[in-house]
Amino acid sequence: MEQKENRVVLRGTAAGEATLSHQVHGLDFYRFPLSVPRLSGREDRLNILLPAPPEGKALPQPGDYLEVTGEVRSFNNRSGVGSRLVITVLARSVLPGVGEPCNQVWLRGTLCKPPILRRTPLGRDICDLLLAVNRRYRRADYLPCIAWGRLAQECGEMTTGDPLWLNGRLQSRTYLKNLGEITQERTAFEISISSLEPVEDVPLSSLL
């Protein structure tokens, strides 16, 4: 069920070395940044987590063009340093990339907070959502999502507890955080929604 509810496919370039992140049940996990260009010419720099490769296989190297498939994951950073909600991609597969850059996310989840509909200074509607996506062992990932224009208006009419199936892309953006007498640049991650439907309107085959 986990694979049906949370899936991401990325094609981009490793933008840094893979470094040891943490260890779970004796298995080492490594982290590296993946740069995925947008059509606008900007790039999204996304954090990839992957388990240590089998003996004889190397970790991704800076400059490698890769295809990463996996799931979007979240955890709360309680250290007090950096963003409170940390978003990563847990890689199930990392292969040499073939074809154009790609950034596609499919999520099935439940709204866990009231959506916030607002308007930009230029008059464009924007809506912020927080989606709870189930994973195994009664845990969930809490993923910030954003919608624009007509989709934002639709999302603004939803209520906490509504189930959703959405397609979009995982994006990064930098912002300035005021910390008393200093200002710190931080990076936020969110899913920019391309399309969405109520779960009951989506054929089961679409969730595979």
Side-chain angles (χ1 to χ4, degrees):
M1 194 67 179
E2 183 181 17
Q3 291 291 333
K4 299 175 183 176
E5 296 182 342
N6 187 336
R7 183 168 180 259
V8 57
V9 178
L10 305 170
R11 279 196 296 271
T13 302
E17 299 233 358
T19 58
L20 184 64
S21 171
H22 61 279
Q23 189 179 77
V24 177
H25 303 304
L27 179 62
D28 291 336
F29 282 80
Y30 289 81
R31 180 194 302 263
F32 71 93
L34 187 76
S35 173
V36 183
R38 302 187 192 179
L39 292 176
S40 65
R42 297 180 58 192
E43 68 172 16
D44 293 300
R45 186 163 291 205
L46 309 172
N47 293 315
I48 310 298
L49 274 177
L50 77 161
E55 187 174 351
K57 289 198 173 183
L59 289 163
Q61 299 298 308
D64 287 351
Y65 187 65
L66 304 169
E67 178 170 299
V68 176
T69 60
E71 300 124 38
V72 186
R73 290 292 178 88
S74 70
F75 73 90
N76 284 319
N77 177 12
R78 296 185 173 88
S79 70
V81 178
S83 301
R84 182 178 177 186
L85 186 66
V86 179
I87 305 295
T88 60
V89 172
L90 177 61
R92 299 297 186 184
S93 172
V94 179
L95 299 171
V98 176
E100 296 294 320
C102 176
N103 186 338
Q104 288 286 310
V105 177
W106 297 266
L107 298 174
R108 181 189 182 194
T110 304
L111 284 183
C112 56
K113 289 178 65 176
I116 300 173
L117 180 62
R118 50 196 171 88
R119 183 161 289 182
T120 69
L122 296 177
R124 192 176 181 194
D125 290 324
I126 182 173
C127 190
D128 298 300
L129 307 96
L130 189 64
L131 194 70
V133 180
N134 288 332
R135 62 163 112 153
R136 296 174 184 171
Y137 312 116
R138 298 185 178 181
R139 299 187 63 184
D141 292 292
Y142 296 91
L143 304 176
C145 304
I146 192 167
W148 295 87
R150 179 184 56 81
L151 279 177
Q153 295 174 10
E154 291 181 23
C155 292
E157 297 176 355
M158 297 175 182
T159 59
T160 302
D162 283 350
L164 286 178
W165 164 253
L166 65 84
N167 167 246
R169 62 181 174 83
L170 179 60
Q171 66 181 23
S172 63
R173 59 178 175 85
T174 57
Y175 66 98
L176 296 178
K177 177 75 172 180
N178 291 321
L179 302 171
E181 297 181 354
I182 64 171
T183 301
Q184 187 179 82
E185 184 176 274
R186 293 186 177 179
T187 303
F189 300 90
E190 60 206 1
I191 290 89
S192 179
I193 301 172
S194 301
S195 63
L196 60 86
E197 296 182 54
V199 168
E200 59 269 19
D201 293 343
V202 179
L204 182 60
S205 60
S206 298
L207 303 178
L208 298 177

